[in-house]
Amino acid sequence: MRVAIVGSGAIGLLYGGWLQSAGLDVVFVTRPGRQAALDGATLTAEGRLSFRLRVSAVGDVANAGGFDAIILAVKLYDLASAAAQALPALAPEGALVAVQNGVSAYGILRPLLDPSRLAIGPVFAATRLTGSSSVAYAGADRVTLGNPECKVSPAVDELVRRWTSVGVTAEIVEDIDDVIWTKFLGFATNAALTSLGRLPAGVIYHTPELVEVAKQSIREVASVGRAEGIAITGDAEEMTLKILQSLPPATVASMRQDLDAGKRLELDFISGEIDRLGRKHGLATPLHSLAYRLLQPFREGAPKAA
């Protein structure tokens, strides 16, 4: 089985490394500048399921032949273009798999391919690059995939089997939308609050006044999710707060890291999506609407000085 990993960030390297450890033929697709550093390099992972592998990388997936599965581990703002570039390299029965935190991935991919060849899933591991070909992770070594409309393809079944064979907690679930939205409760909250407050988890989720703000954020996300037909329970809201309070004290969201680095933000797909859905359903989302507007000047990177 041949697999392409589009995206050479920490998640792509980790997921792809696990699959290569399981015996699959894995090719990493990355920008030309990254390709030179990654192709032929020794990829290492630090975490419970560590590995050390010699890997292959290309700059253009279309020139790498046919793939039985292509995993898109890119930011949501790059997902449509990455999928369009990858489709010509997908084998006739191959599957396109998107792994992102957010609730927009399936809607972005659905017009491009028959649903039986699509799978989506959130990200549970907290990952970071520690070098050009090294990654460290903490939290759950878990992969959860599914399709909101139908069963996933045999290619996705095989990916899950291979991840499982090396110790990853991998599964296919029927209620993937519920899983993604439940994850989105904490993901969107952490992105908005650590970016707006410029504070880490250890302060935000352990200061009484800010805990109330976090609860408001979680309620807003849950309300628009329910309006979209997602079965979000009150227990899910409570558990989300407990998870946020259990984060290492220095933790900040990936969007906060991008904000600090002057990079483009996934803002439109996080607080922007909550704002949009709130307006669609006539629901007030004051915290996320404010976050969306205050962070808009940074959406494309650090704004230029006047």
Side-chain angles (χ1 to χ4, degrees):
M1 184 179 189
R2 295 194 76 220
V3 180
I5 308 292
V6 179
S8 58
I11 287 296
L13 295 181
L14 185 64
Y15 280 34
W18 283 335
L19 289 174
Q20 187 169 329
S21 297
L24 295 187
D25 180 5
V26 176
V27 175
F28 293 89
V29 182
T30 185
R31 300 182 304 275
R34 282 278 285 142
Q35 178 193 354
L38 194 57
D39 188 36
T42 298
L43 173 63
T44 62
E46 179 185 347
R48 190 181 73 87
L49 301 177
S50 60
F51 54 74
R52 185 178 179 86
L53 307 162
R54 183 66 62 93
V55 296
S56 298
V58 298
D60 185 354
V61 66
N63 295 329
F67 291 94
D68 302 296
I70 298 178
I71 298 175
L72 303 172
V74 297
K75 297 285 189 180
L76 279 163
Y77 50 69
D78 283 333
L79 185 59
S81 60
Q85 293 170 14
L87 282 178
L90 191 63
E93 300 300 321
L96 201 61
V97 179
V99 287
Q100 286 86 22
N101 285 322
V103 296
S104 309
Y106 193 74
I108 292 170
L109 297 179
R110 180 62 178 83
L112 303 178
L113 198 62
D114 185 275
S116 65
R117 299 174 63 195
L118 293 174
I120 58 173
V123 174
F124 293 97
T127 61
R128 61 186 176 90
L129 291 174
T130 54
S132 60
S133 60
S134 59
V135 59
Y137 81 95
D141 26 51
R142 173 184 173 191
V143 178
T144 300
L145 300 176
N147 183 297
E149 293 186 77
C150 58
K151 290 184 177 180
V152 299
S153 71
V156 179
D157 287 325
E158 180 63 10
L159 290 177
V160 167
R161 190 182 74 80
R162 293 298 186 119
W163 273 315
T164 302
S165 73
V166 293
V168 177
T169 302
E171 61 180 342
I172 295 167
V173 298
E174 293 183 2
D175 58 342
I176 190 63
D177 275 344
D178 292 355
V179 174
I180 285 173
W181 269 94
T182 299
K183 181 69 165 60
F184 194 51
L185 298 177
F187 175 73
T189 295
N190 203 39
L193 298 191
T194 62
S195 295
L196 281 180
R198 298 296 182 106
L199 295 167
V203 176
I204 292 173
Y205 307 116
H206 298 277
T207 302
E209 295 83 359
L210 295 180
V211 169
E212 292 305 311
V213 176
K215 289 179 179 178
Q216 178 184 339
S217 169
I218 295 167
R219 284 195 300 269
E220 290 182 11
V221 183
S223 68
V224 296
R226 292 185 185 111
E228 286 286 290
I230 307 301
I232 299 174
T233 66
D235 288 347
E237 294 183 49
E238 294 176 8
M239 183 56 66
T240 296
L241 181 60
K242 290 179 181 178
I243 291 171
L244 292 172
Q245 290 177 324
S246 71
L247 293 173
T251 299
V252 297
S254 59
M255 189 169 81
R256 162 69 188 280
Q257 295 173 18
D258 290 339
L259 179 65
D260 290 347
K263 296 180 179 179
R264 186 178 178 184
L265 306 182
E266 288 184 293
L267 180 66
D268 287 352
F269 302 94
I270 306 176
S271 290
E273 183 71 356
I274 298 164
D275 175 75
R276 184 186 71 81
L277 291 174
R279 288 184 285 106
K280 171 186 172 182
H281 294 290
L283 297 171
T285 58
L287 190 148
H288 283 282
S289 296
L290 179 65
Y292 182 47
R293 285 157 180 77
L294 286 177
L295 292 170
Q296 272 194 9
F298 301 90
R299 183 169 51 184
E300 302 300 323
K304 294 181 180 179

